[in-house]
Amino acid sequence: MTEKVLIIGAVWPESKSSAAGQNMAALIKLFAARDFGIHFASAAAESLHRDNDLLLACTLHTISLNDASFDTFIAKLNPAIVIFDRFMTEEQFSARVKQHCPDALHMLNTEDLHSLRHARHEAVKQGGPPNDAKLNNAFSQREIAAILRSDISLIISSAEYRLLTDYYRVPDKQLQLFPLQQPLTSPPELPDYPTRQHFITVGNFRHAPNWDAVLQLKQLWPAIRARLPDAELHIYGAYPPKKATQLHNAKQGFVVKGWVNDIGKAMASARVCLAPLRFGAGIKGKLLTAMQYATPSVTTEVGAEGIASAGEWPGKVVSLTPPAAYIDAACQLYREEAQWQQASQQAKTITAAYQNAQHQAQAALFEKIAVARNDLPAFRQSLFLHSLIWHHSLRASQFMSQWIEAKNR
């Protein structure tokens, strides 16, 4: 009998809209390749760019938050593994899963540490650097609790893995380093320096770090354009709001393109990718895409985190304070062919190393799943914090859900 995996999605997967969407698509394909029956459920509304072709491999379910109908659904489905997409979904549904399917393995797909991104955003809003982030806050307490409740959590960044083990003291046994599973196969031939032109930036506009980066570029662009009057900046991303499209100014070369069906083609024709990220977390899919198409990039420490060091970066890792350093780096990389060629070649090197890490992580993940499922009670027995956080006195999210359910009757 085919074993069932239930993925509870915070949203329906959109692999052409975000790195998170690509990561989810990869997870579905990995479990399908191992002959699991894939069930995908979400309480989210159907989205414009949903991966309908991908979801053909799944049995789809629409579920409701804080509703006893989920109890009936999960008991009948009785999955062997439940994957919670982001910690908020774990908060909403894990207690019901545990009650009705006590033998199911709980996996948390973090995508990135949302609490880290939030803390860095707060630090930046206060006028400080992201390194001033206050890591012990109400948001992080919720997210770390979700990680501790889960049997295995997927962590896409080595920097976040170290943060979880060294600062938050999460046991290694409950974590699996699982680099962002973005497809990175490159075309056999890519355009070279002379045939490429313009700058590019990419990012789903609903993601706060991406919108902030566009605002940073709006301030940086006049100085770059003054030195490179023939260059344009092409801005791609799903769901551009009116405030973004209003920034479009073709005469100034600040071109807001919005949604694109094939970002690879756009990236391959660009000379330099810009990603002036002031805050964020996880792995930046836009920068992996740049490397996949051998496009050098200029980013910040936050952008490069988890991929490569500043010394190894295929382009430049530069602070935005002062902005002159970022402007200089962008212009030099765009104008100097020798520097560009070296960075382009380095992009190919890092892409190959990252692909190798992806493949190793896939094998390690399914080995860890097999070990845990072989004797789940024994696996959990050694995890004191796991049992502690499941103690009734600490299950506020479950009781809140039940209160909302009763109130809605």
Side-chain angles (χ1 to χ4, degrees), residues 54 81 130 235 268-269 394:
L54 169 74
I81 300 172
I235 302 167
S269 66
L394 296 177

Side-chain angles (χ1 to χ4, degrees), residues 371-393:
V371 168
R373 294 191 60 223
N374 183 57
D375 191 343
L376 189 56
F379 181 85
R380 291 171 172 169
Q381 179 61 34
S382 65
L383 300 173
F384 175 74
L385 292 178
H386 177 274
S387 57
L388 174 67
I389 212 76
W390 272 111
H391 190 270
H392 67 86
S393 65

Side-chain angles (χ1 to χ4, degrees), residues 150-390:
S150 302
D151 298 307
I152 300 172
S153 290
L154 305 182
I155 312 302
I156 66 172
S157 164
S158 56
E160 292 181 6
Y161 191 101
R162 290 192 299 271
L163 181 66
L164 288 168
T165 55
D166 297 350
Y167 181 82
Y168 293 114
R169 301 297 180 183
V170 178
D172 291 274
K173 187 175 180 179
Q174 287 178 265
L175 304 175
Q176 177 60 51
L177 183 61
F178 196 67
L180 183 68
Q181 297 294 300
Q182 182 173 320
L184 293 175
T185 302
S186 302
E189 293 186 13
L190 287 165
D192 207 358
Y193 178 87
T195 56
R196 295 188 185 222
Q197 60 180 345
H198 305 316
F199 293 91
I200 187 174
T201 193
V202 184
N204 188 316
F205 283 93
R206 289 179 175 175
H207 193 52
N210 294 336
W211 171 237
D212 183 77
V214 171
L215 295 178
Q216 298 307 306
L217 286 167
K218 188 64 176 177
Q219 297 179 38
L220 296 165
W221 182 247
I224 297 174
R225 174 80 165 184
R227 297 193 204 179
L228 302 167
D230 295 328
E232 297 177 356
L233 172 61
H234 294 173
I235 302 167
Y236 294 92
Y239 304 108
K242 187 175 181 180
K243 63 183 179 180
T245 56
Q246 287 176 336
L247 296 178
H248 176 85
N249 191 318
K251 289 184 178 180
Q252 296 175 2
F254 197 86
V255 184
V256 180
K257 300 235 176 198
W259 166 261
V260 62
N261 190 53
D262 185 359
I263 190 59
K265 184 177 180 180
M267 186 65 77
S269 66
R271 187 173 289 179
V272 174
C273 176
L274 299 179
L277 294 158
R278 294 197 299 166
F279 61 95
I283 299 291
K284 314 307 178 293
K286 63 181 71 59
L287 293 169
L288 290 180
T289 300
M291 294 179 192
Q292 177 184 1
Y293 292 93
T295 305
S297 58
V298 184
T299 190
T300 60
E301 285 187 10
V302 168
E305 185 178 74
I307 301 176
S309 68
E312 300 170 320
W313 195 257
K316 290 288 185 180
V317 177
V318 190
S319 171
L320 289 168
T321 308
Y326 194 94
I327 293 164
D328 287 345
C331 292
Q332 288 173 10
L333 193 56
Y334 192 91
R335 286 188 303 205
E336 297 181 14
E337 182 173 356
Q339 182 180 337
W340 187 95
Q341 294 285 7
Q342 183 178 8
S344 182
Q345 185 58 47
Q346 179 66 1
K348 298 175 185 177
T349 301
I350 294 179
T351 299
Y354 195 91
Q355 283 180 303
N356 185 53
Q358 285 178 323
H359 296 148
Q360 290 180 351
Q362 291 168 9
L365 171 61
F366 283 93
E367 182 178 335
K368 177 165 274 191
I369 289 172
V371 168
R373 294 191 60 223
N374 183 57
D375 191 343
L376 189 56
F379 181 85
R380 291 171 172 169
Q381 179 61 34
S382 65
L383 300 173
F384 175 74
L385 292 178
H386 177 274
S387 57
L388 174 67
I389 212 76
W390 272 111

Side-chain angles (χ1 to χ4, degrees), residues 15-239:
S15 61
K16 292 185 178 180
S17 296
S18 68
Q22 291 182 327
N23 200 48
M24 177 53 70
L27 271 176
I28 291 172
K29 291 174 183 177
L30 286 171
F31 277 94
R34 287 160 175 81
D35 295 324
F36 284 91
I38 314 297
H39 293 255
F40 195 101
S42 182
E46 187 170 332
S47 52
L48 179 63
H49 302 302
R50 191 175 86 163
D51 273 334
N52 290 316
D53 289 343
L54 169 74
L55 291 172
L56 289 173
C58 308
T59 302
L60 305 184
H61 309 272
T62 298
I63 53 177
S64 299
L65 297 173
N66 307 309
D67 195 284
S69 62
F70 182 83
D71 300 348
T72 305
F73 160 71
I74 193 70
K76 183 178 180 181
L77 185 65
N78 193 26
I81 300 172
V82 178
I83 301 175
F84 303 96
D85 179 31
R86 302 172 174 87
F87 85 90
M88 298 80 77
T89 304
E90 190 280 340
E91 285 184 327
Q92 292 157 348
F93 293 102
S94 66
R96 296 176 185 271
V97 171
K98 190 172 183 68
Q99 179 182 355
H100 297 285
C101 303
D103 297 327
L105 183 77
H106 289 222
M107 287 180 55
L108 175 58
N109 178 37
T110 61
E111 292 297 353
D112 62 27
L113 288 184
H114 292 58
S115 58
L116 176 61
R117 172 161 31 94
H118 171 79
R120 285 173 168 173
H121 193 182
E122 290 300 309
V124 168
K125 285 193 289 188
Q126 296 298 320
N131 291 339
D132 285 350
K134 294 180 173 60
L135 301 177
N136 187 353
N137 57 68
F139 206 152
S140 63
Q141 289 158 13
R142 287 175 54 200
E143 186 162 32
I144 301 307
I147 290 171
L148 289 171
R149 277 193 300 267
S150 302
D151 298 307
I152 300 172
S153 290
L154 305 182
I155 312 302
I156 66 172
S157 164
S158 56
E160 292 181 6
Y161 191 101
R162 290 192 299 271
L163 181 66
L164 288 168
T165 55
D166 297 350
Y167 181 82
Y168 293 114
R169 301 297 180 183
V170 178
D172 291 274
K173 187 175 180 179
Q174 287 178 265
L175 304 175
Q176 177 60 51
L177 183 61
F178 196 67
L180 183 68
Q181 297 294 300
Q182 182 173 320
L184 293 175
T185 302
S186 302
E189 293 186 13
L190 287 165
D192 207 358
Y193 178 87
T195 56
R196 295 188 185 222
Q197 60 180 345
H198 305 316
F199 293 91
I200 187 174
T201 193
V202 184
N204 188 316
F205 283 93
R206 289 179 175 175
H207 193 52
N210 294 336
W211 171 237
D212 183 77
V214 171
L215 295 178
Q216 298 307 306
L217 286 167
K218 188 64 176 177
Q219 297 179 38
L220 296 165
W221 182 247
I224 297 174
R225 174 80 165 184
R227 297 193 204 179
L228 302 167
D230 295 328
E232 297 177 356
L233 172 61
H234 294 173
I235 302 167
Y236 294 92
Y239 304 108

